[in-house]
Amino acid sequence: MAGRLSSAKKLLGAAGLGAAVWLGAPPLLRELEFFRVRRVEITGLQYLEPSKVIAALRLSSKASVFDDPAPLARRVLALPGVASAEVGHHVPGTLLIEVHEVAPVALTARGDALAMVDA
């Protein structure tokens, strides 16, 4: 019986350690240069220019792949013509942006350029 109890304690201790590492690792790894965003991959673009999506992200020079993706997705979603945006990452330094665009119905003049107009 004592052998089973010590095995259960070891298993519980290992699970606790694993949970601590799982929950504590991203904040610690966020500070490492190795996990800084060095590349942005954008999929799903048909009408928008990639440079507009990258500008909308407003990434700092210290942006990490472990930063919260929700604010980045909201910034891309605020672009005209974007129906949805999902942000993920590929370790060590790539952000993955998946954009779903609304098909434009027409183009209209906006300043010196044309802008998409949907329904």
Side-chain angles (χ1 to χ4, degrees), residues 28-70:
L28 295 174
L29 297 177
R30 184 177 295 130
E31 301 302 320
L32 295 176
E33 182 76 27
F34 184 69
F35 296 108
R36 298 276 186 246
V37 174
R38 294 182 295 276
R39 181 179 172 166
V40 178
E41 291 182 10
I42 305 170
T43 59
L45 290 184
Q46 186 173 358
Y47 305 106
L48 282 172
E49 296 176 23
S51 61
K52 289 189 179 196
V53 174
I54 291 172
L57 290 170
R58 296 191 308 258
L59 294 172
S60 73
S61 60
K62 293 190 174 193
S64 170
V65 295
F66 292 110
D67 290 343
D68 184 13

Side-chain angles (χ1 to χ4, degrees), residues 91-106:
V91 175
T94 303
L95 269 185
L96 306 172
I97 314 292
E98 185 175 345
V99 177
H100 299 278
E101 295 178 297
V102 176
V105 175

